[in-house]
Amino acid sequence: MPTYDFRCKKCFHKFSKRVSSSEKDKVTCPECNERAEQIFTGFLYKKAAGENGSSGGCSGGSCASCSGC
Ligand SMILES: [Zn+2]
């Protein structure tokens, strides 16, 4: 059974859980019991880096915010 990453829709708690693909839609947050949605790590990382520019290499064409890439 594969492990998927999820994020709570209410408190944004992130966690990984082993579920079958048919149960991905029914996963709930271990913190608040609200419905959680699956997150795609690669996509999320890319998106986050592009939005706040705080992690990973630079996306704006300058190396001002990274240690040199
Ligand atoms: Zn939660």
Side-chain angles (χ1 to χ4, degrees), residues 2-66:
T3 302
Y4 296 100
D5 292 323
F6 295 91
R7 183 180 59 187
C8 175
K9 289 186 175 181
K10 187 180 179 187
C11 71
F12 302 110
H13 175 67
K14 288 184 201 167
F15 58 98
S16 299
K17 192 170 184 176
R18 280 186 174 212
V19 291
S20 63
S21 57
S22 61
E23 288 176 340
K24 284 191 298 188
D25 298 335
K26 301 169 191 167
V27 173
T28 52
C29 173
E31 298 288 323
C32 67
N33 243 20
E34 283 292 321
R35 185 66 61 84
E37 62 183 354
Q38 185 186 4
I39 54 174
F40 300 92
T41 311
F43 175 74
L44 192 77
Y45 174 77
K46 225 168 153 185
K47 194 180 170 201
E51 279 178 357
N52 57 34
S54 63
S55 59
C58 53
S59 56
S62 85
C63 282
S65 59
C66 70

